[in-house]
PDB file of all heavy atoms in Angstrom:
ATOM      1  N   LEU M 112      55.154  80.922-157.795  1.00  0.00           N
ATOM      2  CA  LEU M 112      55.660  79.672-157.239  1.00  0.00           C
ATOM      3  C   LEU M 112      55.725  78.620-158.338  1.00  0.00           C
ATOM      4  O   LEU M 112      54.971  78.671-159.312  1.00  0.00           O
ATOM      5  CB  LEU M 112      54.742  79.167-156.127  1.00  0.00           C
ATOM      6  CG  LEU M 112      54.509  80.120-154.940  1.00  0.00           C
ATOM      7  CD1 LEU M 112      53.435  79.555-154.024  1.00  0.00           C
ATOM      8  CD2 LEU M 112      55.809  80.339-154.175  1.00  0.00           C
ATOM      9  N   ARG M 203      56.046  73.337-152.087  1.00  0.00           N
ATOM     10  CA  ARG M 203      55.092  72.243-151.911  1.00  0.00           C
ATOM     11  C   ARG M 203      53.756  72.846-151.495  1.00  0.00           C
ATOM     12  O   ARG M 203      53.683  73.587-150.521  1.00  0.00           O
ATOM     13  CB  ARG M 203      55.585  71.247-150.870  1.00  0.00           C
ATOM     14  CG  ARG M 203      56.828  70.487-151.306  1.00  0.00           C
ATOM     15  CD  ARG M 203      57.101  69.287-150.413  1.00  0.00           C
ATOM     16  NE  ARG M 203      58.278  68.563-150.849  1.00  0.00           N
ATOM     17  CZ  ARG M 203      58.293  67.654-151.814  1.00  0.00           C
ATOM     18  NH1 ARG M 203      57.159  67.355-152.434  1.00  0.00           N
ATOM     19  NH2 ARG M 203      59.398  67.036-152.171  1.00  0.00           N
ATOM     20  N   LEU M 204      52.734  72.513-152.240  1.00  0.00           N
ATOM     21  CA  LEU M 204      51.413  73.050-151.959  1.00  0.00           C
ATOM     22  C   LEU M 204      50.612  72.088-151.100  1.00  0.00           C
ATOM     23  O   LEU M 204      50.657  70.869-151.301  1.00  0.00           O
ATOM     24  CB  LEU M 204      50.657  73.313-153.262  1.00  0.00           C
ATOM     25  CG  LEU M 204      51.297  74.284-154.261  1.00  0.00           C
ATOM     26  CD1 LEU M 204      50.379  74.455-155.474  1.00  0.00           C
ATOM     27  CD2 LEU M 204      51.575  75.629-153.606  1.00  0.00           C
ATOM     28  N   THR M 227      47.722  76.371-149.802  1.00  0.00           N
ATOM     29  CA  THR M 227      48.756  77.086-149.056  1.00  0.00           C
ATOM     30  C   THR M 227      50.141  76.600-149.470  1.00  0.00           C
ATOM     31  O   THR M 227      50.311  75.495-149.985  1.00  0.00           O
ATOM     32  CB  THR M 227      48.592  76.888-147.545  1.00  0.00           C
ATOM     33  OG1 THR M 227      48.726  75.483-147.234  1.00  0.00           O
ATOM     34  CG2 THR M 227      47.224  77.369-147.077  1.00  0.00           C
ATOM     35  N   ALA M 228      51.127  77.460-149.227  1.00  0.00           N
ATOM     36  CA  ALA M 228      52.539  77.128-149.427  1.00  0.00           C
ATOM     37  C   ALA M 228      53.287  77.607-148.192  1.00  0.00           C
ATOM     38  O   ALA M 228      53.306  78.816-147.911  1.00  0.00           O
ATOM     39  CB  ALA M 228      53.084  77.776-150.684  1.00  0.00           C
ATOM     40  N   ASP M 229      53.857  76.682-147.437  1.00  0.00           N
ATOM     41  CA  ASP M 229      54.582  77.027-146.215  1.00  0.00           C
ATOM     42  C   ASP M 229      53.716  77.859-145.268  1.00  0.00           C
ATOM     43  O   ASP M 229      54.172  78.834-144.661  1.00  0.00           O
ATOM     44  CB  ASP M 229      55.872  77.781-146.548  1.00  0.00           C
ATOM     45  CG  ASP M 229      56.832  76.935-147.371  1.00  0.00           C
ATOM     46  OD1 ASP M 229      56.841  75.697-147.175  1.00  0.00           O
ATOM     47  OD2 ASP M 229      57.545  77.505-148.215  1.00  0.00           O
ATOM     48  N   GLY M 230      52.444  77.491-145.155  1.00  0.00           N
ATOM     49  CA  GLY M 230      51.537  78.160-144.230  1.00  0.00           C
ATOM     50  C   GLY M 230      50.879  79.406-144.776  1.00  0.00           C
ATOM     51  O   GLY M 230      49.935  79.918-144.172  1.00  0.00           O
ATOM     52  N   GLU M 231      51.330  79.930-145.897  1.00  0.00           N
ATOM     53  CA  GLU M 231      50.715  81.112-146.485  1.00  0.00           C
ATOM     54  C   GLU M 231      49.636  80.707-147.479  1.00  0.00           C
ATOM     55  O   GLU M 231      49.838  79.802-148.287  1.00  0.00           O
ATOM     56  CB  GLU M 231      51.770  81.952-147.219  1.00  0.00           C
ATOM     57  CG  GLU M 231      52.725  82.716-146.324  1.00  0.00           C
ATOM     58  CD  GLU M 231      53.547  83.700-147.136  1.00  0.00           C
ATOM     59  OE1 GLU M 231      54.575  83.272-147.695  1.00  0.00           O
ATOM     60  OE2 GLU M 231      53.156  84.884-147.220  1.00  0.00           O
ATOM     61  N   VAL M 233      47.803  80.721-150.692  1.00  0.00           N
ATOM     62  CA  VAL M 233      48.118  81.076-152.071  1.00  0.00           C
ATOM     63  C   VAL M 233      46.853  81.342-152.871  1.00  0.00           C
ATOM     64  O   VAL M 233      46.811  82.250-153.711  1.00  0.00           O
ATOM     65  CB  VAL M 233      48.931  79.938-152.730  1.00  0.00           C
ATOM     66  CG1 VAL M 233      49.131  80.192-154.219  1.00  0.00           C
ATOM     67  CG2 VAL M 233      50.268  79.765-152.025  1.00  0.00           C
TER      68      VAL M 233
END
Side-chain angles (χ1 to χ4, degrees):
L112 302 172
R203 293 194 179 277
L204 301 182
T227 62
D229 298 327
E231 287 190 276
V233 173

